[in-house]
Amino acid sequence: MAGHYRVAVSGAQVGQPEVKLGIIPGAGGTQRLPRLAGVAKAVEMCATGNPIKGKEALQFGIVDRLIEGDLLVGAVAFAREIANQPAPKTRERLDKLGTPVQNAPIFAAAREAAQIKQRGLMAPLAAIDAVEAATRLPFHEGCEVERKLFTACLFSDQSKALIHIFFGEREVAKIPDVPKETPTLPVKTAAVVGAGTMGGGIAMVLANAGIPVLLKDADQAALDRGLATIQKNYATSVKRGRLTQQFVDERLKLIMPTLGYDGFATVDMVVEAVFEGMALKQQVFKELDRFCKLGAILASNTSTLNIDEIASATSRPEAVIGTHFFSPANIMRLLEIVRGQATSKEVIATCMQLSKKLGKVGVLVGNCRGFVANRMFHPYIREAMFLVEEGASVEAVDKALYDFGMAMGPLATGDLAGIDVGWRIRREYQHLEKPGIRQPLAADRLYEMGRYGQKTGAGWYRYDENRRAISDAGIAELISRWATEAGIPQRYISPEEIVERCAYALVNAGARILEEGYALRAVDIDIIYINGFGFPAYRGGPMWHADTVGLKKVHDRICEFNRQHGELWEPAPLLTKLAKEGKTFADFSLEHMAVA
Ligand code: NAI
């Protein structure tokens, strides 16, 4: 931008992406862009970090010519054309900087948008301040303001966390015993079994990547329902401008509904998404074993069941893997890839590669109950429920975690996922819990009252016809009565304690997972939590957050919770060890990967 003129190939994109790493454009970027492109465009580009296409860059004066054909030939021709004209210095230009009266609403709107769409992030606001400085101060003074803001962002915890996540997304693709050169299998065609919430979404994801997909359900009514939901979801995407009608029409043609196994003999991959239950899953896999060609990948979308047990129903456990999508599957970026004992390296490498093609971030995890994502989510949401039973209001718990940066409070999440779902999971695994260990009380009562959450119009909250949450004073009173009857003392709980209890429950569970080797690195857990559960990226994920707070401090607090609340808060041995050694989860992961 400091050059006299700029040319670009017509396919070029230009942008100021720094805010995505928690910093702002430096080296005068925030001072020169408004001089070239005008204040409104510059503020938008610097605050959002989103690039623009060459044509728009030309229109806004960021480039002076788009070159079709050979760049060098075109650039030289342009240089000859302007050779005898004055060479303008960007820094001296004032014509597009506007007046304070013109600019005030632009900055106000940009700040408001940043506070909503980039909630909690400091870099976008700093970028807006820097552009504002360009409009108010001489160039050199504006650069000085930019430098100060840049430095403050660069040394912030936020930029360290965002940079950690940026590299982490690349890091998770590295699997020590499945090197880059591992051969992969072609996935040109696929099938999905089960056309429910997840199966329908997964079929859309495959079709969106151009992969023709058979969609099988057990009966016509379920299949029709599934297809209607897919059509509705696509229609919403068109309405919101995310997809074009033409794209949707093409994709819909790729989804072929079926009730039988015709066509399964030729598909390269099947994703099973039938009801959660071992007997049913084994039955389906037995059938897949019979109908699918050798070499086909047989994947399960199970969220909790043992992949090895599912694989044992087939004659080819090496072809069986977990591909755990998150709801809604066509939106959420995370794909947890679950490795069974026998899963072949080719199958793992193929699924990791496929995740990219599907626009997902694939993270490989081991086969433990709930895998990584749900194994950690369980203690997190349980702690939120305990807090409510100890006297914190539903709203206070959700607000504390929302303010911490979570996309949604845990109890609102519970209402969305279904209180009945949580109840069923607790029942199914009850036999594995130690007798006498504290269990959520109010959630079970809500279930008994038929308050399943959003789907029944009431759960922790009440819901209006637009599914907007409304506080329910009646429920607050009931919870306090149930808790008092159960001998749980009622007290005020600060937002800080709410956040610590819930976030450290994640950290403690994550430490066990790491120690047991079900996640390869701490950053894998961070990527899972940011992409699957809306953990704030600017805190770097739960494990990075703990490293940032300091493991000694986190450990001390967990020991205190252990004294107050008992066994559920026993610190993970790895956490105790690292805290004593003054190390971090990141240190542990580095050492661990070096050995691997
Ligand atoms: P769902 O109840 O919406 O859909 C299940 C579908 O499977 C139904 O349409 C049913 O008719 C069909 N089905 C049942 N038996 C079948 C058979 N033998 N052959 C063909 N189709 C059959 O269930 P949902 O929520 O889609 O869950 C499916 C799987 O995905 C489960 O394993 C669940 O644990 C997992 N999962 C669910 C998530 C969620 O948020 N709902 C998130 C991630 C995983």
Side-chain angles (χ1 to χ4, degrees), residues 193-198 216-218 222 273-276 280-281 284 301-303 324-325 327:
V193 186
T197 311
M198 294 307 290
K216 178 187 183 310
D217 208 286
V274 301
F275 301 132
E276 187 83 336
L280 177 63
K281 302 262 186 209
V284 170
N301 188 53
T302 177
S303 29
H324 182 205
F325 289 82
S327 182

Coordinates of all heavy atoms in Angstrom, one line a residue, residues 193-198 216-218 222 273-276 280-281 284 301-303 324-325 327, ligand 1:
V193 N -26.7 -44.5 6.7 CA -27.8 -45.3 7.2 C -28.5 -44.6 8.4 O -27.8 -44.3 9.4 CB -27.3 -46.7 7.7 CG1 -28.5 -47.6 8.1 CG2 -26.5 -47.4 6.6
G194 N -29.8 -44.3 8.3 CA -30.5 -43.5 9.3 C -30.6 -42.1 8.8 O -29.7 -41.4 8.6
A195 N -31.9 -41.7 8.5 CA -32.1 -40.4 7.9 C -32.7 -39.4 9.0 O -33.5 -38.6 8.7 CB -33.1 -40.5 6.8
G196 N -32.2 -39.6 10.2 CA -32.7 -38.7 11.3 C -31.9 -37.4 11.3 O -31.4 -37.0 10.3
T197 N -31.9 -36.8 12.5 CA -31.2 -35.5 12.7 C -29.8 -35.5 12.1 O -29.4 -34.7 11.3 CB -31.1 -35.2 14.2 OG1 -32.4 -35.4 14.8 CG2 -30.6 -33.8 14.5
M198 N -29.1 -36.5 12.6 CA -27.6 -36.6 12.2 C -27.5 -37.1 10.8 O -26.7 -36.6 10.0 CB -26.8 -37.4 13.2 CG -26.8 -36.8 14.6 SD -26.2 -35.1 14.6 CE -24.5 -35.3 14.1
K216 N -30.3 -44.2 3.5 CA -31.2 -45.3 3.8 C -31.9 -45.1 5.2 O -31.2 -44.7 6.2 CB -30.4 -46.6 3.8 CG -31.2 -47.8 4.2 CD -30.3 -49.0 4.3 CE -31.1 -50.3 4.6 NZ -32.1 -50.3 5.7
D217 N -33.2 -45.4 5.3 CA -33.8 -45.5 6.6 C -34.6 -46.8 6.7 O -34.7 -47.5 5.7 CB -34.7 -44.3 6.9 CG -34.8 -44.0 8.4 OD1 -35.5 -44.8 9.1 OD2 -34.1 -43.1 8.9
A218 N -35.2 -47.1 7.8 CA -35.9 -48.3 8.0 C -37.3 -48.3 7.5 O -37.8 -49.3 7.0 CB -35.9 -48.7 9.5
A222 N -40.1 -42.4 8.0 CA -38.8 -41.8 8.5 C -38.0 -41.2 7.4 O -37.4 -40.1 7.5 CB -38.0 -42.8 9.3
A273 N -25.9 -43.8 11.1 CA -26.4 -42.8 12.1 C -27.8 -43.2 12.5 O -28.8 -42.5 12.5 CB -26.4 -41.4 11.5
V274 N -28.0 -44.5 12.9 CA -29.3 -45.0 13.5 C -29.3 -44.7 14.9 O -28.4 -44.1 15.5 CB -29.5 -46.5 13.2 CG1 -29.4 -46.8 11.7 CG2 -28.4 -47.3 14.0
F275 N -30.4 -45.0 15.6 CA -30.6 -44.7 17.0 C -29.4 -45.3 17.8 O -28.7 -46.2 17.4 CB -31.8 -45.4 17.6 CG -33.1 -45.1 17.0 CD1 -34.0 -46.0 16.6 CD2 -33.5 -43.7 16.8 CE1 -35.2 -45.7 16.0 CE2 -34.7 -43.4 16.2 CZ -35.5 -44.4 15.8
E276 N -29.1 -44.6 18.9 CA -27.9 -45.0 19.8 C -28.3 -46.2 20.6 O -29.1 -46.2 21.5 CB -27.6 -43.8 20.7 CG -26.3 -44.0 21.5 CD -25.1 -43.6 20.8 OE1 -25.1 -43.7 19.5 OE2 -24.1 -43.4 21.4
L280 N -28.7 -52.6 18.1 CA -29.1 -52.1 16.8 C -27.9 -51.8 15.9 O -27.8 -52.1 14.7 CB -29.9 -50.8 16.9 CG -30.4 -50.2 15.6 CD1 -31.3 -51.1 14.8 CD2 -31.1 -48.9 15.9
K281 N -26.9 -51.1 16.5 CA -25.7 -50.8 15.7 C -25.0 -52.0 15.2 O -24.6 -52.1 14.1 CB -24.6 -50.0 16.6 CG -25.2 -48.7 17.2 CD -24.8 -47.5 16.4 CE -25.3 -46.2 17.1 NZ -25.6 -45.1 16.2
V284 N -26.9 -53.5 12.3 CA -26.6 -52.7 11.1 C -25.3 -53.0 10.5 O -25.1 -53.2 9.3 CB -26.8 -51.2 11.3 CG1 -26.3 -50.4 10.1 CG2 -28.3 -50.8 11.6
N301 N -21.5 -43.0 13.5 CA -21.6 -41.7 14.1 C -22.0 -41.7 15.6 O -22.4 -40.7 16.2 CB -22.7 -40.9 13.3 CG -22.7 -39.5 13.7 OD1 -21.7 -38.8 13.7 ND2 -23.9 -39.0 14.1
T302 N -21.8 -42.9 16.2 CA -22.1 -43.0 17.6 C -21.5 -41.9 18.4 O -20.3 -41.6 18.1 CB -21.8 -44.4 18.1 OG1 -22.1 -44.4 19.5 CG2 -20.3 -44.7 18.0
S303 N -22.2 -41.4 19.4 CA -21.6 -40.4 20.3 C -21.0 -41.0 21.5 O -20.2 -40.3 22.2 CB -22.6 -39.3 20.6 OG -23.9 -39.8 20.7
H324 N -17.6 -39.0 14.3 CA -18.6 -38.4 15.1 C -18.8 -36.9 14.7 O -17.9 -36.1 15.0 CB -18.1 -38.5 16.6 CG -19.0 -38.0 17.6 ND1 -18.6 -37.5 18.8 CD2 -20.3 -37.8 17.6 CE1 -19.6 -37.1 19.5 NE2 -20.7 -37.2 18.8
F325 N -19.9 -36.7 14.0 CA -20.2 -35.4 13.6 C -21.0 -34.7 14.8 O -21.5 -35.3 15.7 CB -21.2 -35.4 12.4 CG -20.5 -35.8 11.1 CD1 -20.3 -37.2 10.8 CD2 -20.1 -34.9 10.2 CE1 -19.7 -37.5 9.6 CE2 -19.4 -35.2 9.0 CZ -19.2 -36.6 8.7
S327 N -23.9 -31.7 16.0 CA -25.2 -31.2 15.5 C -25.3 -29.7 15.5 O -24.9 -29.1 16.5 CB -26.3 -31.8 16.5 OG -27.6 -31.4 16.0
Ligands
NAI1 P1 -32.6 -39.8 15.2 O1 -33.5 -40.5 16.1 O2 -32.9 -38.4 14.8 O3 -32.4 -40.7 13.8 C1 -32.2 -42.0 13.8 C2 -32.8 -42.5 12.5 O4 -32.3 -43.9 12.3 C3 -34.3 -42.6 12.4 O5 -34.7 -41.9 11.2 C4 -34.6 -44.0 12.4 O6 -35.8 -44.3 11.6 C5 -33.4 -44.6 11.7 N1 -33.2 -46.0 11.9 C6 -33.4 -46.7 13.0 N2 -33.1 -48.0 12.8 C7 -32.7 -48.1 11.5 C8 -32.2 -49.2 10.7 N3 -32.1 -50.4 11.2 N4 -31.9 -48.9 9.5 C9 -32.0 -47.7 9.0 N5 -32.4 -46.6 9.7 C10 -32.7 -46.9 11.0 O7 -31.2 -39.9 15.8 P2 -29.9 -38.9 15.7 O8 -30.0 -37.9 16.7 O9 -29.8 -38.6 14.3 O10 -28.7 -39.9 16.2 C11 -28.2 -40.8 15.3 C12 -26.8 -41.2 15.8 O11 -26.0 -40.1 15.9 C13 -26.8 -41.8 17.2 O12 -25.8 -42.8 17.3 C14 -26.5 -40.6 18.1 O13 -25.9 -41.0 19.3 C15 -25.5 -39.9 17.2 N6 -25.3 -38.5 17.4 C16 -26.4 -37.7 17.7 C17 -26.1 -36.3 17.9 C18 -27.3 -35.4 18.1 O14 -27.1 -34.3 18.6 N7 -28.5 -35.8 17.9 C19 -24.8 -35.7 17.9 C20 -23.8 -36.7 17.5 C21 -24.0 -38.0 17.3

